[in-house]
Amino acid sequence: MLSFNSVNFDNFIPNWRTHMEIINFNVLVLIVQGKALYTVNGKQIVAESGDVLFIPQTTKRAGENYEARPHQKYTVLFNHDQEDNEEISFLRRNQFFKLKTRHFEYVKHRCERLYAELRGNKEHRSYICKGILQELIGMLAREKDHPTVTPMKLRYAQIMKQYLLDNYRETIEIEQLAKLIHRSPNYTISVFKEVTGKAPIQYIHQLRIIEACNLLLHSDMTIAAIANYLGYYDASYFSRMFKRLTTKSPKAFMMDGHMTEIGTLFS
């Protein structure tokens, strides 16, 4: 049975450092932005955006900002028992690993939901959080046990995803992405979809609608203004796209939506 110690969100902490110690719990780390430097049983590990680390209990570990530059990450501290060992190979082996997750946005949203649920005193939160943690561990175990994507393809996809994150409000042609990785447009689309499960245009719409959700809940912008801000110059098209991805109209989401829903909307 999985049991929580804590879930932490390190949001660009200056001079972040955790001292060398032998830990008596497991740690899952998701690097959201920037880089972190870990020392694991005497070996230095640099983790960057999109990396997930599993640091098992009894490990001697320390951590700090990489090159003194702050980073953003989630850390989940938990324990497990023999029953979990039988189901999950990396728990049974009790070995450190690092992988570049193919489902970064979804894993990030699940960590966000986990962190939000553990703040305050919400009803049934322990039951919900255990389910989220089990899902995360199951997903990572599947990725680790069945690595179907080469490291180079993962790197290509990460380059493109970062470009889209930086420019999703703009009109982006597939030729622009192809130039980033020096490959043909067809190959570019194929690699992106293989790694993320989505075509680049679908990913752009997802980024835009996630931001739209945030603006609908936390700004006084009109729906038409949000549509224009996000690059949808036809407000009715924006509304159709919003409803296709969230199952709600922008107006309905503005009235009764919650940002904690976003992780499930874009699975």
Side-chain angles (χ1 to χ4, degrees):
M1 179 70 68
L2 299 172
S3 60
F4 279 101
N5 283 28
S6 64
V7 179
N8 304 306
F9 178 52
D10 296 338
N11 191 16
F12 300 111
I13 300 174
N15 304 314
W16 174 80
R17 180 185 298 272
T18 181
H19 296 291
M20 184 69 71
E21 63 178 339
I22 297 175
I23 57 176
N24 59 4
F25 45 80
N26 303 301
V27 183
L28 276 180
V29 180
L30 173 68
I31 305 295
V32 179
Q33 292 188 51
K35 297 181 180 180
L37 175 65
Y38 283 88
T39 302
V40 178
N41 292 331
K43 182 179 180 181
Q44 289 194 328
I45 308 292
V46 177
E48 61 182 14
S49 177
D51 284 343
V52 174
L53 283 68
F54 172 66
I55 307 174
Q57 58 187 7
T58 73
T59 297
K60 188 176 183 181
R61 71 95 172 91
E64 61 186 276
N65 286 330
Y66 180 72
E67 296 183 342
R69 297 175 182 176
H71 62 275
Q72 192 180 64
K73 71 176 183 293
Y74 287 93
T75 54
V76 182
L77 282 56
F78 68 99
N79 292 98
H80 68 281
D81 59 21
Q82 185 61 36
E83 181 181 349
D84 300 306
N85 285 347
E86 295 174 1
E87 293 289 333
I88 305 296
S89 60
F90 70 75
L91 295 181
R92 182 173 64 252
R93 294 168 185 158
N94 205 46
Q95 292 180 333
F96 168 86
F97 72 80
K98 182 183 81 169
L99 63 80
K100 182 78 71 177
T101 177
R102 301 192 296 274
H103 308 285
F104 171 71
E105 291 297 331
Y106 186 68
V107 172
K108 185 181 76 168
H109 285 309
R110 301 313 283 158
C111 288
E112 289 173 349
R113 177 68 184 275
L114 197 56
Y115 182 76
E117 285 290 338
L118 288 172
R119 308 276 78 76
N121 189 27
K122 298 178 181 179
E123 189 176 10
H124 308 307
R125 69 175 187 175
S126 63
Y127 193 82
I128 292 171
C129 289
K130 284 181 182 178
I132 295 173
L133 178 58
Q134 285 180 316
E135 179 189 14
L136 283 171
I137 290 174
M139 288 178 63
L140 295 173
R142 182 180 293 170
E143 285 199 66
K144 185 176 185 301
D145 293 345
H146 302 284
T148 58
V149 181
T150 65
M152 183 56 73
K153 288 182 177 180
L154 289 173
R155 182 62 180 163
Y156 286 158
Q158 186 62 29
I159 290 170
M160 289 187 281
K161 285 172 67 176
Q162 188 60 54
Y163 183 82
L164 296 179
L165 281 166
D166 293 339
N167 300 279
Y168 65 90
R169 292 171 50 208
E170 309 298 328
T171 300
I172 299 173
E173 303 294 340
I174 192 62
E175 287 77 13
Q176 294 171 259
L177 298 181
K179 287 181 180 179
L180 289 175
I181 62 172
H182 307 290
R183 293 293 185 271
S184 71
N186 286 341
Y187 181 85
T188 298
I189 295 172
S190 176
V191 167
F192 193 91
K193 193 167 185 178
E194 181 180 356
V195 175
T196 68
K198 300 178 177 67
I201 186 62
Q202 293 174 309
Y203 190 72
I204 292 170
H205 284 307
Q206 176 175 303
L207 293 174
R208 288 178 173 182
I209 299 306
I210 288 173
E211 179 62 9
C213 290
N214 179 56
L215 294 172
L216 287 167
L217 294 180
H218 303 297
S219 81
D220 58 2
M221 294 174 68
T222 65
I223 292 173
I226 291 172
N228 186 69
Y229 174 77
L230 293 174
Y232 294 108
Y233 302 113
D234 181 343
S236 62
Y237 176 69
F238 163 71
S239 295
R240 291 196 301 273
M241 185 59 64
F242 189 97
K243 189 168 185 179
R244 182 185 302 174
L245 294 183
T246 69
T247 73
K248 296 180 180 180
S249 69
K251 184 176 181 180
F253 185 87
M254 184 168 53
M255 295 296 293
D256 60 14
H258 302 280
M259 287 306 292
T260 52
E261 297 176 1
I262 303 305
T264 57
L265 291 175
F266 299 101
S267 61

